[in-house]
Amino acid sequence: MPFHFANVLLFTVTAIGFVFLSLFGGKFLRPNNPTPNKSLIYECGEKPIGQAWYNFNPRFYLIALVFVIFEVEIAFMYPVASVYKSFIDHGQGLLAFAEIFLFVAILAVGLAYVWAMGDLEWVKGLKQDVMKAHQAQQSAAIMAKKAA
Amino acid sequence: MQAFLDSLIRGWGHDPQTWVWTQLIYVAFMGLFSFAVINFAAVTAGIFSWAERRVAGRMQSRVGPNRAGPGGFYQWIADAVKLLTKEDLVPTEADQFLFRIAPYFMMVGFACVFVALPFSHRLVIAEMNVGVFYIIAVTALIVVGIIMSGWSSNSKWSLFGAIRSAAQIISYEIPAGMALMIPVLLSGTLSTQGIIRAQGPWPWEWYIFHDPASFAAFFIYFISALAEGNRTPFDLPEAESELVSGYNTEYSGMRFSYFFLVEWGNMWVMSALATTMFLGGWQVPFLPVTDAADKIAMLSGGWTVLAELASIAIFTFKTLFFVFIVMWLRWTLPRIRVDQMMNMCWKYLVPVSFAAVLFVAGWMLVIHAVPALDWIMRIVLTAGGAITLVMFWLRTLQNIKDTGDKFDFTSNW
């Protein structure tokens, strides 16, 4: 067991060394004459306007939040999945299946909730508002027709 | 590998349990092996970059790089030399430290996968008991590298590319993780070698043809792996027409090459993992290896070596076949839109992968009660797969006959 994880450490060290040595060795091969224009940030040939470190769209945050929940679920499911077969062999298959089913069902409810709340929609807000407004307009027109 | 080193030490007349230098020998040899494997990964990534351009050329009725060496084979070496001698620019406005260490994260996340990834019956660095779980865990390091490179560049293009890429990779990690759970359920082990041992050499013994849900799971895994590797049709982070080059816009020279080394090397990783989990890995026909009986180890002398080489060849062939499919897809399908990509993951692949896991769990109960159903299902699915392949082949032949194959293989290759 320690042998296996010592390998992970060795691979990490070797990978870091691989990148470091090729970058360090390359230093003696490559030219190095930076100019102010070369060191600018690329923005389609224009001088960059302001910094890029500003707020980004909150939908990425929502995706990350949903991801964390399901990833934790996967992390919990793997140990169960790896012993499921031995449960069946010992005649406890139905019990294990019921437990897996319950666990997945609870998460499926979570997915259904996120879905129903529209958090999985990539295009948000404006389009839905426009559609709602459109529907309200249509129903108002129908009501007006009926009244007439 | 530990068993191999132990036998080596025993060959020198020492007992590995008590000899004082055992640990040192382990470190020295495994360091050597890790260097060899990382170089193997880098060289395959280079060769794939050449192969991809040749395949692209062939698919678009042009030649592709054919000047350097036979068939342009040395093109990837020329590219590597060029990248090595290019000026390394770091923007003055960028976060210098994060900008410089981002490629290390990419490379570590990529290299560590090879610890648990098998190459043949004996050739695996460490037969970890948590293999699959470990592979899923370390590949997540690549996302850290991407976010780091995009954020530290202080370029708008890089930032957009990086967060888009991160959203894509983490989203597709869910269906990929659930799909890889199915071979784990069926074999009852997390070890990559154990999962191969639980399958057999023939197609009806592979997990892809075990039941309809595992058949679906293979495709879910394959699609998710394409998305995780930022391959077309999911190469939105590098959408040139809108994001310049995505998270690596500000990188140049050798530092830039690591992002692409990882991308091309990932083709091997995803194909090898698909082969391991669903397609019987390195199992050699007539020499099935199971946990109970190892037919390859029972052979003697030269036959062992031959069987070992055969298992390497079979594993490499299956893997390269899928690498080719990945290239083929890249030059066939257009890039999909970002909202379509997210819909596909969360509204189709995630629910289907949940259902697939439950179906397989239920199916295992059924075949435990009625074992005959297992074989009927496997044979029906294998026959279905074989018929599809034959039909596809006939269709292709018909198309070639109708339009004619105008590629000239004799000159200008």
Side-chain angles (χ1 to χ4, degrees):
Chain A
M1 206 63 215
F3 177 83
H4 297 165
F5 290 100
N7 270 310
V8 180
L9 182 68
L10 262 178
F11 265 71
T12 310
V13 171
T14 317
I16 290 173
F18 187 85
V19 178
F20 179 78
L21 281 182
S22 65
L23 286 175
F24 183 75
K27 217 171 199 162
F28 303 103
L29 296 170
R30 61 180 178 234
N32 182 30
N33 37 6
T35 64
N37 272 340
K38 249 193 237 170
S39 313
L40 275 184
I41 306 283
Y42 177 74
E43 208 165 295
C44 302
E46 299 283 333
K47 282 233 162 89
I49 300 168
Q51 300 253 313
W53 293 325
Y54 49 72
N55 305 346
F56 52 79
N57 202 313
R59 62 189 169 200
F60 290 107
Y61 174 75
L62 273 178
I63 290 286
L65 209 61
V66 177
F67 158 75
V68 168
I69 297 163
F70 284 103
E71 190 72 350
V72 169
E73 179 234 342
I74 287 178
F76 281 134
M77 281 279 281
Y78 263 96
V80 180
S82 63
V83 293
Y84 183 64
K85 201 178 180 200
S86 61
F87 262 84
I88 290 183
D89 292 342
H90 289 93
Q92 297 280 312
L94 219 52
L95 176 73
F97 180 73
E99 281 179 359
I100 289 179
F101 187 83
L102 198 67
F103 191 66
V104 173
I106 290 169
L107 276 143
V109 171
L111 183 68
Y113 177 78
V114 173
W115 196 332
M117 294 302 279
D119 290 334
L120 298 184
E121 303 295 336
W122 192 252
V123 183
K124 283 200 179 70
L126 200 56
K127 191 182 155 198
Q128 285 160 5
D129 291 348
V130 166
M131 277 169 74
K132 257 184 207 158
H134 183 67
Q135 275 170 356
Q137 212 177 3
Q138 270 187 334
S139 58
I142 291 164
M143 292 293 272
K145 221 180 237 176
K146 270 184 188 167
Chain B
M1 275 296 160
Q2 192 174 14
F4 167 73
L5 290 181
D6 282 348
S7 68
L8 202 69
I9 292 168
R10 257 181 235 112
W12 295 336
H14 299 283
D15 181 21
Q17 293 293 329
T18 52
W19 198 35
V20 275
W21 299 111
T22 304
Q23 305 296 332
L24 200 70
I25 294 290
Y26 280 172
V27 170
F29 271 85
M30 294 325 292
L32 213 63
F33 285 136
S34 68
F35 185 70
V37 166
I38 287 172
N39 272 293
F40 162 81
V43 168
T44 38
I47 292 175
F48 287 167
S49 82
W50 163 79
E52 171 131 46
R53 281 175 282 175
R54 290 296 303 198
V55 168
R58 178 80 178 84
M59 286 189 180
Q60 299 174 339
S61 290
R62 52 187 178 83
V63 184
N66 69 341
R67 293 289 134 188
F73 182 72
Y74 301 142
Q75 188 64 46
W76 65 276
I77 302 174
D79 287 342
V81 171
K82 187 200 104 177
L83 284 164
L84 202 62
T85 53
K86 267 212 141 180
E87 188 175 355
D88 181 31
L89 293 170
V90 180
T92 39
E93 293 275 295
D95 186 321
Q96 303 284 325
F97 177 65
L98 289 184
F99 191 89
R100 282 166 200 278
I101 64 167
Y104 292 93
F105 277 81
M106 302 284 285
M107 199 60 189
V108 169
F110 169 61
C112 280
V113 174
F114 285 90
V115 177
L117 207 61
F119 292 95
S120 84
H121 171 234
R122 276 200 199 114
L123 210 56
V124 58
I125 293 296
E127 199 187 324
M128 278 192 198
N129 54 4
V130 290
V132 183
F133 200 57
Y134 164 81
I135 287 176
I136 293 176
V138 287
T139 39
L141 259 183
I142 293 178
V143 192
V144 179
I146 286 176
I147 281 273
M148 217 176 242
S149 63
W151 182 259
S152 66
S153 293
N154 196 3
S155 162
K156 280 120 192 165
W157 306 121
S158 301
L159 179 66
F160 293 156
I163 51 177
R164 214 190 245 195
S165 178
Q168 174 183 330
I169 295 175
I170 62 174
S171 297
Y172 277 90
E173 218 159 273
I174 312 288
M178 292 299 275
L180 289 182
M181 204 180 283
I182 283 167
V184 174
L185 270 174
L186 290 171
S187 63
T189 171
L190 284 166
S191 150
T192 46
Q193 292 286 70
I195 288 169
I196 294 176
R197 277 197 297 266
Q199 303 175 64
W202 301 109
W204 52 88
E205 291 168 317
W206 298 349
Y207 282 151
I208 179 174
F209 295 126
H210 185 269
D211 56 81
S214 65
F215 188 71
F218 170 74
F219 291 98
I220 292 173
Y221 169 70
F222 200 69
I223 293 168
S224 311
L226 280 178
E228 281 191 77
N230 290 338
R231 300 286 309 178
T232 322
F234 302 101
D235 62 342
L236 300 129
E238 290 147 34
E240 299 93 346
S241 48
E242 38 186 308
L243 285 176
V244 185
S245 176
Y247 53 86
N248 52 31
T249 306
E250 295 298 335
Y251 282 82
S252 65
M254 207 59 199
R255 221 180 283 279
F256 162 83
S257 74
Y258 286 112
F259 293 100
F260 275 86
L261 193 154
V262 170
E263 188 183 316
W264 271 305
N266 249 333
M267 290 205 303
W268 174 277
V269 171
M270 62 177 274
S271 306
L273 203 56
T275 307
T276 305
M277 304 298 282
F278 292 100
L279 293 161
W282 38 253
Q283 293 272 17
V284 186
F286 306 111
L287 292 169
V289 178
T290 59
D291 280 327
D294 187 341
K295 281 249 173 94
I296 291 181
M298 276 193 268
L299 294 171
S300 57
W303 290 107
T304 323
V305 180
L306 217 61
E308 204 62 40
L309 287 176
S311 79
I312 293 180
I314 284 170
F315 190 81
T316 312
F317 174 76
K318 284 175 183 168
T319 306
L320 290 183
F321 176 73
F322 280 102
V323 169
F324 173 68
I325 297 239
V326 172
M327 290 176 183
W328 184 0
L329 284 174
R330 175 162 183 187
W331 300 103
T332 309
L333 299 173
R335 184 184 301 138
I336 67 172
R337 229 167 47 211
V338 65
D339 62 320
Q340 290 171 334
M341 184 264 290
M342 281 296 170
N343 271 355
M344 174 151 172
C345 175
W346 289 105
K347 296 188 178 170
Y348 295 92
L349 296 185
V350 169
V352 172
S353 61
F354 276 21
V357 166
L358 285 182
F359 182 92
V360 170
W363 182 250
M364 283 172 73
L365 284 179
V366 172
I367 58 174
H368 184 69
V370 193
L373 272 179
D374 185 19
W375 285 103
I376 293 170
M377 183 60 96
R378 280 166 189 249
I379 285 163
V380 166
L381 278 174
T382 312
I387 290 168
T388 315
L389 268 184
V390 169
M391 302 265 281
F392 180 77
W393 185 250
L394 290 177
R395 183 74 242 174
T396 311
L397 285 183
Q398 185 63 40
N399 281 350
I400 291 174
K401 218 173 115 192
D402 286 351
T403 57
D405 189 0
K406 300 186 186 72
F407 193 78
D408 179 13
F409 270 113
T410 49
S411 66
N412 209 18
W413 190 73

